[in-house]
Amino acid sequence: MRSHYCGSLTAQQVDTEVSLCGWVNRRRDLGGLIFIDLRDREGIVQVVCDPDQKALFDVAYTLRNEFCVQIKGTVRARPESQINTDMTTGAVEVYASEVVILSKAAPSPLDSNQNNSEEQRLKYRYLDLRRPLMSDRLKFRAKVTSFVRNFMDSHGFLDIETPMLTRATPEGARDYLVPSRTHKGKFFALPQSPQLFKQLLMMSGMDRYYQIVKCFRDEDLRADRQPEFTQIDIETSFMTADQVMAVTEQMIRELFQSLLQVDLGDFPQMTYADAMRLYGSDKPDLRNPMQLVDVADLLKEVEFKVFSGPANDLKGRVAALKVPAAADKISRKDIDGYTEFVGIYGAKGLAWMKVKAVGTGIEGVQSPVAKFLTDDIVNQLLDRTKAEAGDILFFGADQYSVVCEAMGALRLKLGEQHGITEDGWKPLWVVDFPMFEQDEDGQLMAIHHPFTSPVNPDPTALTAAPAEALSNAYDMVLNGTELGGGSVRIHDPVMQATVFRLLGISDDEATEKFGFLLEALKYGTPPHAGLAFGLDRLIMLMTGATSIRDVMAFPKTTTAACPLTDAPGFANPAQLTELMIELKKE
């Protein structure tokens, strides 16, 4: 039916007979002529319908937006004065010789000016995806996955599928459970990631594995999360962390160069401790040059308990954030808004100091907390933060984690609002994560997952000082977004048993949940390491979208529902009976 895509026509096709198929993007009746903007996935071309061809013209007159049509005609050059430089096909048009209506369209439920709620867009997703913006993103996604497959294949990685129906294993989120009909009362789980299976593939001698795979997590959603998402999953044997990082960095660099003509350059490395200290985040956005500065040692003796309390607490932190040349731009109303903002992250308040002059102590600053400080302390604060006249300082004082989270978020907000955050791309690796963190009861929890190897693979040393242990893990970060994370895995049964014990996982529980993995570790397990990229996040960044929902064909809403199919739905009572499931009313 089709000889060319609409968006592919150029001056090279002038005087060529073509057959086009697509949708009416717009019909313009100028009295003597009818112009049709015909659209398909590759773009739009203008079609001219001449009244001298009465049968054709009568059909063209009935066309409305989104009618699906086939149009045959001759490509001709537009007059110089009528070339449309905003269209890739703007130098040509098609003089129609035949117009066939393939399918009529009812009035669209979506507003052509795109004043549509996300609920409406998702309910009529098949119409939303006709928009060039959306179709271009899906085409770009296809190019990315094609590039990744070619890169992986050329570097000796095998594309191997892993099961979708498996057993529940703790990986940090709730599992989606699937009841088994043939094993009454038992359940499969949809995989949160192929973590254990890709480790088993290394034990099987596959050496280099990759997979572009669906993963499932039943967790609260936000812009960059969905109940089902896609990973570029990678695992290797006999490669160090540095080697895994090198090959995956090469892939991302070549991907950006190939599809965006962007040179990311070499990726710097930053330790987790430095990232938290300087930026309050383990995924710092380096486009924003502002940094947090620790000042607790200067404030231990002040009478202001908001400062001195955390300053004297081993788990506390007092940090300052300098916003350059913003003192006159930020009003008290703005400060009240920022105070409310950091409260979202657990901060109890937000102290501030506007700098009028440097070196004059209290007289040179405006601040409600200045009365609690001495001239010497003020001068030291300004000196350490490198503050100058016209700057404003914000202070976070609380538990270390609260200060990091609140001031890190404030740093990003101020950077965007005051034009401090630069354009462009700033990648980095974050390394040397802590092996464990503590919950409210003091129980150790794995920062990544319980199969991550410590930097020092000595079970005795790990048992002696688990809180001080660093994991052999690494995250790739781009513009404040974690693109992917990975680690060297534990390949020694004694070390794996030690980690389980430190995490409070008993031998019986470990056998019940991970028995197959523990059994496999007995049979000559090679050293192995891997990394998984979030494909949806990667596409979101590369296309400039603000949500991964805008780079997925059929995503869910923020409540994990699908307006298009009305999923999830109720199950047939007979099916529930067969599965031995009974629904209880709330």
Side-chain angles (χ1 to χ4, degrees):
M1 297 180 70
R2 165 195 283 148
S3 65
H4 296 74
Y5 280 108
C6 297
S8 68
L9 298 181
T10 66
Q12 292 182 340
Q13 281 81 43
V14 168
D15 296 330
T16 301
E17 295 289 327
V18 296
S19 176
L20 308 175
C21 294
W23 290 266
V24 176
N25 194 65
R26 186 171 58 147
R27 183 188 70 95
R28 289 166 289 147
D29 187 347
L30 302 185
L33 295 172
I34 290 178
F35 291 92
I36 300 166
D37 290 342
L38 189 65
R39 183 191 72 244
D40 59 22
R41 76 173 204 191
E42 297 301 323
I44 297 175
V45 68
Q46 177 173 281
V47 178
V48 181
C49 299
D50 195 318
D52 290 343
Q53 304 182 64
K54 187 175 186 309
L56 176 151
F57 194 82
D58 289 345
V59 174
Y61 185 78
T62 67
L63 297 182
R64 297 294 181 266
N65 287 359
E66 300 307 321
F67 274 33
C68 185
V69 299
Q70 178 188 32
I71 295 180
K72 295 180 180 180
T74 304
V75 180
R76 65 185 189 183
R78 290 199 200 186
E80 190 76 27
S81 61
Q82 295 179 18
I83 291 177
N84 185 347
T85 57
D86 294 331
M87 296 172 59
T88 57
T89 61
V92 297
E93 61 187 11
V94 175
Y95 185 77
S97 60
E98 182 180 355
V99 177
V100 178
I101 297 176
L102 301 175
S103 178
K104 295 183 178 181
S108 176
L110 297 181
D111 175 37
S112 60
N113 294 318
Q114 306 310 322
N115 295 318
N116 301 298
S117 67
E118 186 171 63
E119 186 85 8
Q120 281 291 98
R121 289 178 53 211
L122 295 183
K123 181 177 178 62
Y124 298 99
R125 188 62 161 182
Y126 43 87
L127 297 180
D128 188 47
L129 291 178
R130 290 183 188 175
R131 289 194 294 140
L133 174 66
M134 296 302 296
S135 62
D136 285 348
R137 286 172 177 168
L138 291 189
K139 287 190 296 180
F140 187 87
R141 183 183 180 115
K143 291 178 181 178
V144 170
T145 56
S146 176
F147 179 94
V148 168
R149 292 187 192 281
N150 289 332
F151 181 92
M152 290 279 103
D153 292 344
S154 68
H155 285 74
F157 287 83
L158 304 178
D159 184 356
I160 305 175
E161 296 179 350
T162 53
M164 285 290 110
L165 293 176
T166 180
R167 66 171 296 141
T169 55
E171 293 189 39
R174 287 182 296 271
D175 290 302
Y176 278 100
L177 298 179
V178 181
S180 171
R181 178 186 58 82
T182 53
H183 299 275
K184 301 296 186 184
K186 293 186 176 182
F187 292 81
F188 294 104
L190 300 180
Q192 295 185 33
S193 78
Q195 180 63 46
L196 299 184
F197 284 107
K198 65 184 180 182
Q199 289 190 244
L200 291 172
L201 286 170
M202 296 304 101
M203 300 171 193
S204 305
M206 294 300 102
D207 196 72
R208 292 190 177 197
Y209 140 95
Y210 85 96
Q211 186 182 186
I212 298 178
V213 60
K214 282 289 185 185
C215 302
F216 306 86
R217 294 180 186 176
D218 186 6
E219 58 186 349
D220 295 332
L221 307 184
R222 55 179 185 242
D224 59 349
R225 286 189 179 174
Q226 280 279 291
E228 54 180 316
F229 58 96
T230 306
Q231 279 187 184
I232 305 171
D233 206 46
I234 301 168
E235 196 77 9
T236 69
S237 296
F238 310 114
M239 288 180 69
T240 64
D242 287 341
Q243 289 172 323
V244 172
M245 292 163 67
V247 72
T248 52
E249 177 180 322
Q250 180 187 352
M251 182 182 76
I252 296 300
R253 287 171 56 187
E254 290 185 10
L255 173 67
F256 271 72
Q257 186 69 60
S258 175
L259 299 189
L260 296 182
Q261 291 74 55
V262 168
D263 183 4
L264 293 177
D266 293 331
F267 292 15
Q269 290 189 22
M270 181 182 299
T271 65
Y272 171 88
D274 283 345
M276 299 303 290
R277 177 174 59 85
L278 296 173
Y279 304 103
S281 171
D282 61 359
K283 45 182 184 294
D285 187 347
L286 299 186
R287 296 174 303 165
N288 181 338
M290 292 191 295
Q291 296 180 346
L292 305 181
V293 179
D294 284 310
V295 294
D297 60 306
L298 304 178
L299 301 168
K300 288 185 175 181
E301 306 301 327
V302 300
E303 295 182 6
F304 191 44
K305 297 298 182 183
V306 171
F307 280 170
S308 61
N312 288 282
D313 185 346
L314 292 177
K315 295 183 179 180
R317 184 181 189 188
V318 185
L321 177 67
K322 180 188 74 175
V323 188
D328 294 335
K329 302 174 185 176
I330 296 177
S331 66
R332 281 302 304 269
K333 183 179 178 181
D334 293 329
I335 293 173
D336 290 341
Y338 296 141
T339 303
E340 186 176 338
F341 174 75
V342 296
I344 298 172
Y345 302 92
K348 301 178 184 67
L350 183 66
W352 55 274
M353 180 181 290
K354 292 187 176 184
V355 184
K356 297 182 292 184
V358 177
T360 58
I362 297 173
E363 292 299 319
V365 300
Q366 175 192 353
S367 171
V369 302
K371 59 187 177 183
F372 299 107
L373 310 177
T374 65
D375 287 339
D376 184 50
I377 288 176
V378 169
N379 288 336
Q380 289 186 70
L381 287 171
L382 301 187
D383 180 62
R384 182 169 296 183
T385 58
K386 296 181 172 56
E388 300 178 354
D391 296 345
I392 182 171
L393 301 179
F394 289 102
F395 298 88
D398 211 305
Q399 293 294 296
Y400 193 91
S401 60
V402 172
V403 171
C404 288
E405 193 169 359
M407 298 300 288
L410 180 63
R411 169 183 168 272
L412 296 178
K413 186 178 184 71
L414 289 166
E416 290 293 336
Q417 287 187 343
H418 295 277
I420 298 170
T421 301
E422 303 165 354
D423 293 329
W425 303 95
K426 290 286 186 178
L428 78 152
W429 287 103
V430 178
V431 298
D432 289 345
F433 287 83
M435 187 76 178
F436 305 108
E437 61 183 352
Q438 290 184 333
D439 63 16
E440 296 178 354
D441 299 324
Q443 174 62 50
L444 294 179
M445 301 184 299
I447 288 281
H448 283 83
H449 54 66
F451 317 108
T452 299
S453 174
V455 172
N456 178 12
D458 180 357
T460 303
L462 182 64
T463 301
E468 299 173 12
L470 298 178
S471 65
N472 203 349
Y474 34 84
D475 282 1
M476 183 187 289
V477 177
L478 180 64
N479 291 4
T481 296
E482 179 192 331
L483 282 188
S487 67
V488 173
R489 323 302 189 188
I490 297 171
H491 71 281
D492 173 42
V494 176
M495 175 57 80
Q496 188 64 76
T498 301
V499 170
F500 282 159
R501 186 168 59 253
L502 290 171
L503 292 173
I505 300 175
S506 67
D507 292 343
D508 289 343
E509 184 182 1
T511 299
E512 194 273 328
K513 292 181 176 177
F514 310 107
F516 60 97
L517 179 71
L518 299 178
E519 179 69 16
L521 284 172
K522 299 176 183 177
Y523 301 104
T525 300
H528 56 289
L531 184 145
F533 288 103
L535 177 65
D536 309 298
R537 290 183 185 180
L538 176 62
I539 307 295
M540 178 182 73
L541 282 179
M542 295 184 77
T543 60
T546 57
S547 165
I548 63 171
R549 292 189 292 277
D550 281 338
V551 297
M552 303 170 79
F554 300 103
K556 307 293 188 292
T557 66
T558 52
T559 60
C562 176
L564 173 64
T565 62
D566 203 23
F570 291 103
N572 186 302
Q575 288 180 299
L576 295 178
T577 300
E578 193 173 29
L579 294 168
M580 298 179 63
I581 293 176
E582 179 183 357
L583 297 182
K584 292 185 177 181
K585 293 183 178 180
E586 293 186 6

